[in-house]
Amino acid sequence: MSETPFRNPGWAGNTGEFDLTEEQVRGEDFVGDRPAHGGHASGAGAMPYMLAEKNPDVALFEGEYQERFEKILTRYPTKQAALLPALGLAQEIRGYVSPDSMDRVAELLDLSPAYVRGVATFYTMYNKRPVGRHLVQVCTNISCNLNGADEVVEAFLRYTDTELGETSEDGHFTVIEAECLAACGFPTCVQINSRYFENVTPDQVPQICERLKSEGK
Ligand code: FES
């Protein structure tokens, strides 16, 4: 718990005096030590959280991940339909979706590499290169922009001592700009991994970053 709760500590819909951790809201199975087999059935196709340390060179879909991959396939009428969760699983394993991962997924799903590239590069939630433990996406679209989003971006870059898209030396943060995050009523909106921080101002940035680091994820 932080000493001064934010008005919204990071969960869309929380607008009162809440200060819940991600674990308290989603359950520990979904956070950090999420079991390799995927935990809950509904988690098989869920977007990964970039909380654990990733190994970009580890083999894809082996052991428990092979079981999860096969489980994903059973949930869709065609292999092609399983493409999004398969890419999500690849990202969960390696931390990002490399060209090599895309080719492997294409092979396993009997799709052309070009088709998989087209899909993976269309969706911004697939990281096409490694990112820090905390991917900070600051909305700089119209509502947030009119309310100081550029200054919020600057504050994150200053705190993390990075340029846009660069990962901080300690591996904790990668800061990027995002298009509208659908929280236009609460500018500036910042999505960090799967959490939303709303009404963010530049002076809150150090406190947010310290809190994330202290959570150890
Ligand atoms: S403009 Fe920032 S959330 Fe919509």
Side-chain angles (χ1 to χ4, degrees), residues 23-24 28 30 42 63 70 77 80 86 97 104 108 111 120 137 146-147 163 176 187 200 207 215:
E23 288 90 336
Q24 287 170 318
E28 292 187 357
F30 283 90
S42 62
E70 282 165 13
Q80 180 177 8
V97 182
R104 180 72 183 128
L108 290 168
L111 299 169
Q137 303 183 71
L146 290 173
N147 286 278
E163 301 286 331
I176 60 173
V200 175
Q207 196 186 352
E215 288 175 358

Short mmCIF file of all heavy atoms in Angstrom, two decimals, residues 23-24 28 30 42 63 70 77 80 86 97 104 108 111 120 137 146-147 163 176 187 200 207 215:
data_model
loop_
_atom_site.label_atom_id
_atom_site.label_comp_id
_atom_site.label_asym_id
_atom_site.label_seq_id
_atom_site.Cartn_x
_atom_site.Cartn_y
_atom_site.Cartn_z
N GLU A 23 -2.74 -8.34 -7.53
CA GLU A 23 -3.05 -9.65 -6.98
C GLU A 23 -4.42 -9.66 -6.30
O GLU A 23 -5.19 -10.61 -6.44
CB GLU A 23 -2.00 -10.08 -5.95
CG GLU A 23 -0.67 -10.45 -6.54
CD GLU A 23 0.26 -9.25 -6.63
OE1 GLU A 23 -0.26 -8.12 -6.68
OE2 GLU A 23 1.47 -9.45 -6.65
N GLN A 24 -4.71 -8.57 -5.55
CA GLN A 24 -5.96 -8.53 -4.82
C GLN A 24 -7.16 -8.49 -5.77
O GLN A 24 -8.23 -8.98 -5.45
CB GLN A 24 -5.99 -7.31 -3.89
CG GLN A 24 -5.08 -7.48 -2.69
CD GLN A 24 -4.92 -6.17 -1.94
OE1 GLN A 24 -4.78 -5.11 -2.52
NE2 GLN A 24 -4.95 -6.26 -0.62
N GLU A 28 -3.83 -14.25 -7.34
CA GLU A 28 -2.39 -14.40 -7.49
C GLU A 28 -1.98 -15.26 -8.68
O GLU A 28 -0.90 -15.12 -9.22
CB GLU A 28 -1.78 -14.95 -6.20
CG GLU A 28 -1.88 -13.93 -5.08
CD GLU A 28 -1.15 -14.37 -3.84
OE1 GLU A 28 -0.63 -15.48 -3.84
OE2 GLU A 28 -1.14 -13.59 -2.88
N PHE A 30 -2.82 -15.04 -11.59
CA PHE A 30 -2.70 -14.29 -12.82
C PHE A 30 -1.50 -13.36 -12.81
O PHE A 30 -1.23 -12.69 -13.78
CB PHE A 30 -3.97 -13.46 -13.06
CG PHE A 30 -5.10 -14.29 -13.57
CD1 PHE A 30 -5.99 -14.88 -12.69
CD2 PHE A 30 -5.25 -14.50 -14.92
CE1 PHE A 30 -7.03 -15.66 -13.17
CE2 PHE A 30 -6.27 -15.28 -15.40
CZ PHE A 30 -7.16 -15.87 -14.53
N SER A 42 -9.76 -20.13 -18.42
CA SER A 42 -10.00 -18.92 -19.20
C SER A 42 -8.71 -18.14 -19.44
O SER A 42 -8.67 -17.22 -20.25
CB SER A 42 -11.01 -18.02 -18.48
OG SER A 42 -10.48 -17.64 -17.22
N GLY A 63 7.11 -28.60 -23.17
CA GLY A 63 6.70 -28.97 -21.82
C GLY A 63 5.30 -28.46 -21.53
O GLY A 63 4.37 -28.69 -22.31
N GLU A 70 -1.60 -26.67 -27.10
CA GLU A 70 -2.58 -27.63 -27.61
C GLU A 70 -3.98 -27.34 -27.05
O GLU A 70 -4.99 -27.50 -27.73
CB GLU A 70 -2.14 -29.05 -27.28
CG GLU A 70 -1.05 -29.49 -28.23
CD GLU A 70 -0.30 -30.73 -27.76
OE1 GLU A 70 -0.79 -31.39 -26.83
OE2 GLU A 70 0.77 -31.01 -28.33
N PRO A 77 -12.27 -23.29 -33.89
CA PRO A 77 -12.69 -24.21 -34.97
C PRO A 77 -11.59 -24.47 -35.99
O PRO A 77 -11.59 -25.51 -36.64
CB PRO A 77 -13.88 -23.48 -35.61
CG PRO A 77 -13.69 -22.04 -35.26
CD PRO A 77 -13.00 -22.02 -33.94
N GLN A 80 -6.12 -21.33 -37.81
CA GLN A 80 -5.95 -19.90 -38.08
C GLN A 80 -6.60 -19.05 -36.97
O GLN A 80 -6.06 -18.02 -36.57
CB GLN A 80 -6.58 -19.55 -39.43
CG GLN A 80 -6.44 -18.08 -39.79
CD GLN A 80 -7.01 -17.77 -41.17
OE1 GLN A 80 -7.63 -18.64 -41.79
NE2 GLN A 80 -6.78 -16.57 -41.66
N ALA A 86 -2.07 -17.73 -29.70
CA ALA A 86 -0.76 -18.39 -29.88
C ALA A 86 0.36 -17.36 -29.83
O ALA A 86 1.40 -17.58 -29.21
CB ALA A 86 -0.74 -19.16 -31.20
N VAL A 97 7.48 -10.75 -29.27
CA VAL A 97 7.23 -11.61 -30.42
C VAL A 97 8.27 -11.30 -31.49
O VAL A 97 8.13 -10.32 -32.24
CB VAL A 97 5.79 -11.40 -30.96
CG1 VAL A 97 5.53 -12.34 -32.13
CG2 VAL A 97 4.77 -11.66 -29.86
N ARG A 104 7.75 -19.49 -36.31
CA ARG A 104 7.44 -20.77 -35.66
C ARG A 104 5.92 -20.93 -35.51
O ARG A 104 5.38 -22.01 -35.74
CB ARG A 104 8.13 -20.81 -34.29
CG ARG A 104 7.89 -22.08 -33.52
CD ARG A 104 8.64 -23.26 -34.10
NE ARG A 104 8.35 -24.49 -33.38
CZ ARG A 104 7.93 -25.62 -33.97
NH1 ARG A 104 7.79 -25.70 -35.27
NH2 ARG A 104 7.67 -26.69 -33.24
N LEU A 108 3.47 -23.83 -37.11
CA LEU A 108 2.60 -24.68 -36.30
C LEU A 108 1.13 -24.55 -36.68
O LEU A 108 0.35 -25.47 -36.52
CB LEU A 108 2.77 -24.35 -34.81
CG LEU A 108 4.10 -24.77 -34.20
CD1 LEU A 108 4.29 -24.15 -32.83
CD2 LEU A 108 4.17 -26.29 -34.11
N LEU A 111 0.11 -21.53 -41.47
CA LEU A 111 -0.16 -20.23 -42.08
C LEU A 111 1.11 -19.73 -42.75
O LEU A 111 2.21 -20.19 -42.43
CB LEU A 111 -0.60 -19.22 -41.01
CG LEU A 111 -1.88 -19.57 -40.25
CD1 LEU A 111 -2.05 -18.65 -39.05
CD2 LEU A 111 -3.09 -19.45 -41.18
N ALA A 120 0.65 -9.85 -36.46
CA ALA A 120 1.45 -9.48 -35.28
C ALA A 120 1.84 -8.00 -35.30
O ALA A 120 1.90 -7.35 -34.25
CB ALA A 120 2.70 -10.34 -35.20
N GLN A 137 2.77 2.89 -21.13
CA GLN A 137 2.16 3.43 -22.34
C GLN A 137 1.35 4.67 -21.98
O GLN A 137 0.29 4.56 -21.36
CB GLN A 137 1.25 2.38 -22.98
CG GLN A 137 1.98 1.09 -23.31
CD GLN A 137 1.07 0.10 -24.02
OE1 GLN A 137 0.69 0.27 -25.17
NE2 GLN A 137 0.68 -0.96 -23.32
N LEU A 146 -4.56 17.40 -24.48
CA LEU A 146 -5.01 18.73 -24.04
C LEU A 146 -4.84 18.92 -22.54
O LEU A 146 -4.90 20.03 -22.03
CB LEU A 146 -6.49 18.92 -24.41
CG LEU A 146 -6.79 19.07 -25.90
CD1 LEU A 146 -8.29 19.07 -26.14
CD2 LEU A 146 -6.15 20.35 -26.44
N ASN A 147 -4.64 17.81 -21.84
CA ASN A 147 -4.51 17.89 -20.38
C ASN A 147 -3.09 17.55 -19.90
O ASN A 147 -2.92 17.07 -18.79
CB ASN A 147 -5.54 16.97 -19.72
CG ASN A 147 -6.94 17.54 -19.81
OD1 ASN A 147 -7.33 18.39 -19.01
ND2 ASN A 147 -7.69 17.11 -20.80
N GLU A 163 15.05 7.27 -23.59
CA GLU A 163 14.35 7.89 -24.71
C GLU A 163 13.11 7.03 -24.97
O GLU A 163 13.04 5.89 -24.50
CB GLU A 163 15.22 7.88 -25.97
CG GLU A 163 16.54 8.63 -25.84
CD GLU A 163 16.34 10.13 -25.84
OE1 GLU A 163 15.37 10.59 -26.46
OE2 GLU A 163 17.15 10.82 -25.20
N ILE A 176 6.56 4.31 -23.81
CA ILE A 176 6.15 4.60 -25.19
C ILE A 176 4.87 5.44 -25.15
O ILE A 176 4.20 5.53 -24.12
CB ILE A 176 5.89 3.32 -26.01
CG1 ILE A 176 4.78 2.48 -25.37
CG2 ILE A 176 7.15 2.50 -26.18
CD1 ILE A 176 4.36 1.29 -26.23
N PRO A 187 -8.02 12.03 -18.05
CA PRO A 187 -6.69 12.30 -18.60
C PRO A 187 -5.71 12.76 -17.51
O PRO A 187 -6.13 13.39 -16.53
CB PRO A 187 -6.96 13.44 -19.58
CG PRO A 187 -8.15 14.15 -18.99
CD PRO A 187 -8.97 13.11 -18.33
N VAL A 200 -3.23 11.04 -14.32
CA VAL A 200 -1.81 11.10 -13.94
C VAL A 200 -1.24 12.48 -14.28
O VAL A 200 -1.46 13.02 -15.36
CB VAL A 200 -1.00 10.01 -14.68
CG1 VAL A 200 0.49 10.15 -14.37
CG2 VAL A 200 -1.49 8.63 -14.26
N GLN A 207 6.42 8.72 -7.82
CA GLN A 207 5.71 7.89 -6.84
C GLN A 207 5.18 6.61 -7.51
O GLN A 207 5.28 5.51 -6.95
CB GLN A 207 4.54 8.70 -6.26
CG GLN A 207 3.97 8.12 -5.00
CD GLN A 207 2.72 8.87 -4.54
OE1 GLN A 207 2.38 9.91 -5.09
NE2 GLN A 207 2.07 8.33 -3.54
N GLU A 215 6.99 -3.19 -5.68
CA GLU A 215 6.18 -4.41 -5.79
C GLU A 215 7.02 -5.56 -6.32
O GLU A 215 6.59 -6.70 -6.30
CB GLU A 215 4.97 -4.17 -6.71
CG GLU A 215 3.93 -3.28 -6.07
CD GLU A 215 2.79 -2.95 -7.01
OE1 GLU A 215 2.83 -3.39 -8.18
OE2 GLU A 215 1.87 -2.25 -6.59
#
